[in-house]
Amino acid sequence: MNKYLLIIIGCLISCHAMAQGRPFPIVDLPSSANSLAMGGTTTLREGGCYPYTQPCNIFMTNDTAMRADYQFGYIDNAEHVNNYTWHTLTMAWRHEKQALCVGMRYLDMGKLKQNVDKDMNQMPDNGKCMRSFSFDLGYALLLNSSLSVYATVALMSERTLLTTNGCALNTGAAFSSHWHNMAYTAALGIRNVGFYSYQNTTKMLTPLVYAGGNISLPTWGDQKLTVAAEGGYYRGNGRIKNSGTLSIGTAYSVCRYLSLQMGAHWGDEDNYVAYGLNARLGKITMETSMKTPITANVGKMYMAGVGLIF
């Protein structure tokens, strides 16, 4: 009984800032500041962080042979003790019709004052650091001028009251083409197929099936408007229920150097609106975004990132 009580407490602690309540909240964090500003969509024509958006996105660019990105995120949990911070570091290489990407994420969930041990015996107060880490490796292949496929694998570890380890597979495909002056992309795939374990217990993760895309068209001069949308469905298991999501975002770019973004997200107990501003100076990109939650008991979120294109 004590073991199960600790498990429940540990899951609540690690997930209270993420409304979904699924294992490993690190996988539910926004893919990038650009993705957050677009409502959580991942089929993007701008921005990097390819292991966490979609590796196929790199084929939508014409000037990217190698790219490095760093992202910082902050969740302001107004009603809770700890605010969360996380760091994302990614690298991507493209050679003709192939692309390889790697990424690392570190989520700091603050300190826990643990008053009981695993046998529920009273202990002196001590600050126990709660954290989560993931390492991701991805590969994308351009099958022809329009169709591409990708697969990524993630190794994850989380420490709260318990230490939990897991692995996940993500895979999908994207179709990109042009019609007159309009460029468009459609994508579909499945994420988070895998398992996690703690102590002597092993369970399956909650997979996400998604479909989305974007449309980009010129408006005046070197300016363009991009609209992206994505829908997803989580297949629940155990106490985790089925849930669906819908994300939509718009971006208006000026001369490829400045982009204003706005997005919204519905479903999965995480309704919000988001705003962002991206800038590009030569080979350097800078991204900022902010999430304003509509759902109660979900903290505000802020992200900023910088990228270097080779």
Side-chain angles (χ1 to χ4, degrees):
M1 179 66 182
N2 293 343
K3 179 183 75 171
Y4 296 113
L5 181 59
L6 276 174
I7 292 169
I8 293 172
I9 294 173
C11 290
L12 290 174
I13 290 170
S14 65
C15 299
H16 72 256
M18 312 299 291
Q20 304 88 344
R22 290 182 289 272
F24 288 110
I26 194 170
V27 303
D28 286 317
L29 293 172
S31 306
S32 64
N34 186 38
S35 176
L36 175 63
M38 297 288 283
T41 59
T42 60
T43 309
L44 303 169
R45 293 187 173 273
E46 297 180 2
C49 293
Y50 297 117
Y52 303 108
T53 54
Q54 295 178 35
C56 291
N57 290 349
I58 196 171
F59 297 126
M60 298 185 207
T61 65
N62 296 320
D63 59 351
T64 303
M66 183 183 299
R67 175 166 178 148
D69 286 276
Y70 168 76
Q71 301 269 330
F72 172 79
Y74 177 81
I75 301 176
D76 183 5
N77 294 318
E79 298 185 8
H80 305 283
V81 176
N82 297 327
N83 295 326
Y84 290 6
T85 60
W86 77 93
H87 307 267
T88 303
L89 183 64
T90 66
M91 284 285 296
W93 299 267
R94 174 184 176 181
H95 178 66
E96 297 180 349
K97 295 184 177 183
Q98 301 182 76
L100 180 68
C101 53
V102 295
M104 293 180 290
R105 273 188 160 182
Y106 177 80
L107 171 64
D108 183 351
M109 296 176 282
K111 291 186 177 181
L112 168 68
K113 291 185 177 180
Q114 182 179 348
N115 297 318
V116 294
D117 61 15
K118 65 180 181 178
D119 297 316
M120 302 303 290
N121 296 318
Q122 194 71 27
M123 295 179 60
D125 288 350
N126 55 22
K128 184 176 182 179
C129 293
M130 298 183 295
R131 57 181 181 265
S132 186
F133 174 83
S134 75
F135 174 79
D136 300 73
L137 177 65
Y139 174 79
L141 176 64
L142 188 62
L143 299 177
N144 54 44
S145 60
S146 299
L147 182 63
S148 58
V149 294
Y150 80 90
T152 66
V153 62
L155 301 177
M156 303 165 290
S157 181
E158 180 176 281
R159 176 185 176 186
T160 54
L161 281 176
L162 301 172
T163 297
T164 306
N165 298 306
C167 65
L169 174 69
N170 313 302
T171 186
F175 180 87
S176 298
S177 189
H178 294 78
W179 186 71
H180 295 290
N181 292 330
M182 180 181 71
Y184 62 91
T185 299
L188 56 84
I190 185 169
R191 300 189 182 108
N192 214 31
V193 178
F195 63 89
Y196 65 101
S197 62
Y198 51 85
Q199 294 183 337
N200 295 320
T201 302
T202 300
K203 294 185 177 182
M204 300 302 295
L205 293 168
T206 307
L208 168 69
V209 178
Y210 74 91
N214 62 60
I215 297 174
S216 182
L217 65 160
T219 56
W220 180 77
D222 292 330
Q223 304 178 33
K224 68 176 181 178
L225 175 68
T226 301
V227 179
E230 186 170 304
Y233 178 77
Y234 285 97
R235 180 69 173 90
N237 56 66
R239 293 175 303 181
I240 301 175
K241 298 180 180 179
N242 299 338
S243 63
T245 66
L246 176 63
S247 304
I248 188 169
T250 60
Y252 194 82
S253 303
V254 180
C255 301
R256 294 191 65 197
Y257 299 113
L258 188 66
S259 177
L260 302 173
Q261 300 163 311
M262 182 175 180
H265 180 277
W266 296 273
D268 204 29
E269 300 181 21
D270 189 20
N271 302 333
Y272 65 83
V273 293
Y275 316 91
L277 175 64
N278 293 354
R280 176 169 176 172
L281 302 173
K283 297 294 185 179
I284 300 175
T285 64
M286 293 170 285
E287 305 173 8
T288 59
S289 61
M290 178 182 69
K291 163 186 169 180
T292 302
I294 301 174
T295 303
N297 301 321
V298 177
K300 292 184 177 180
M301 186 180 294
Y302 308 89
M303 290 191 72
V306 61
L308 181 60
I309 300 172
F310 299 90

